[in-house]
């Protein structure tokens, strides 16, 4: 009987400890994980590296001339001439929109996974509590009473 009491106390302590740690899960889930950030930056770097390599001086000069010609075209564009800040904002929105959508989709998936895990944890806790109650009730009736000691 002492073993059952100790095991039920141990289960309660484990549940209490889990409750203390779980407070940070929501915060952790809300923030983008390091893997997501690293994957996004690797994808950006790979895309940039695939377009132009700047390992040699010749490649650097080629890159500089390409960027200067592109910059000249941007400066002469009518929308940039009329409102440069709006043009830059529009460019950034258009170029970063796919990345933002991807991160939002990952966040939604993480939220669903979090809800699923929370539900699973609650069900497991209920099962452990039911099991502990059952064992406690079963242990109290079986062989541990005064009638068993008299015989």
């Amino acid at each position: 009987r002492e073993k059952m009491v100790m095991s039920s106390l141990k289960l309660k302590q484990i549940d209490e400890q889990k409750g203390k740690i779980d407070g940070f899960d929501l915060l952790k889930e809300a923030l983008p994980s390091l893997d997501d950030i690293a994957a996004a930056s690797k994808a950006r770097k790979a895309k940039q590296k695939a377009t132009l390599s700047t390992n040699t001086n010749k490649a650097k000069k080629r890159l500089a001339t390409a960027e200067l010609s592109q910059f000249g075209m941007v400066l002469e564009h009518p929308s940039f001439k009329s409102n440069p800040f709006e043009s830059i904002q529009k460019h950034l929105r258009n170029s970063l929109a796919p990345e933002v959508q991807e991160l939002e989709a990952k966040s939604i998936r993480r939220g669903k996974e979090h809800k699923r895990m929370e539900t699973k944890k609650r069900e497991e806790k209920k099962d452990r509590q039911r099991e502990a109650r059952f064992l406690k009730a079963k242990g109290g009736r079986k062989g541990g009473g005064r009638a068993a000691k008299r015989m």
Side-chain angles (χ1 to χ4, degrees):
R1 182 174 179 164
E2 286 180 31
K3 288 181 181 179
M4 283 188 239
V5 171
M6 294 301 286
S7 66
S8 66
L9 288 173
K10 194 176 263 189
L11 284 174
K12 286 180 184 178
Q13 287 176 346
I14 290 171
D15 288 341
E16 288 173 5
Q17 288 175 352
K18 284 183 182 178
K20 290 177 185 175
I21 294 171
D22 287 342
F24 292 106
D25 285 344
L26 293 175
L27 180 62
K28 185 175 77 174
E29 293 297 323
L31 296 173
S33 70
L34 291 175
D35 295 334
D36 295 341
I37 295 169
S41 67
K42 281 183 182 179
R44 261 188 265 123
K45 287 179 183 177
K47 187 177 178 182
Q48 289 173 352
K49 195 172 189 178
T51 57
L52 294 172
S53 175
T54 58
N55 293 336
T56 63
N57 286 337
K58 193 175 187 180
K60 289 178 185 178
K61 286 179 184 177
R62 214 178 306 130
L63 175 66
T65 56
E67 287 183 355
L68 281 174
S69 65
Q70 181 71 25
F71 187 65
M73 290 176 12
V74 168
L75 289 175
E76 292 180 13
H77 197 275
S79 66
F80 186 81
K81 284 182 178 180
S82 65
N83 193 348
F85 292 113
E86 183 181 342
S87 299
I88 292 170
Q89 284 179 338
K90 187 176 181 181
H91 167 71
L92 290 174
R93 270 190 238 115
N94 292 338
S95 61
L96 297 178
E99 188 176 327
V100 169
Q101 290 173 349
E102 181 182 327
L103 289 175
E104 286 175 350
K106 285 182 183 179
S107 176
I108 290 170
R109 283 190 300 246
R110 257 191 260 122
K112 288 179 182 178
E113 179 68 19
H114 178 70
K115 282 183 181 180
R116 189 181 66 76
M117 291 301 291
E118 286 295 317
T119 304
K120 184 178 177 184
K121 283 181 185 179
R122 275 190 234 111
E123 289 300 319
E124 288 174 352
K125 184 177 179 180
K126 286 179 185 178
D127 289 342
R128 284 193 307 270
Q129 289 174 343
R130 278 189 216 116
E131 182 75 21
R133 278 190 234 122
F134 175 74
L135 290 175
K136 185 177 178 182
K138 186 177 178 182
R141 291 181 191 152
K142 219 178 193 182
R146 291 183 184 169
K149 290 182 182 178
R150 288 183 194 162
M151 290 184 173

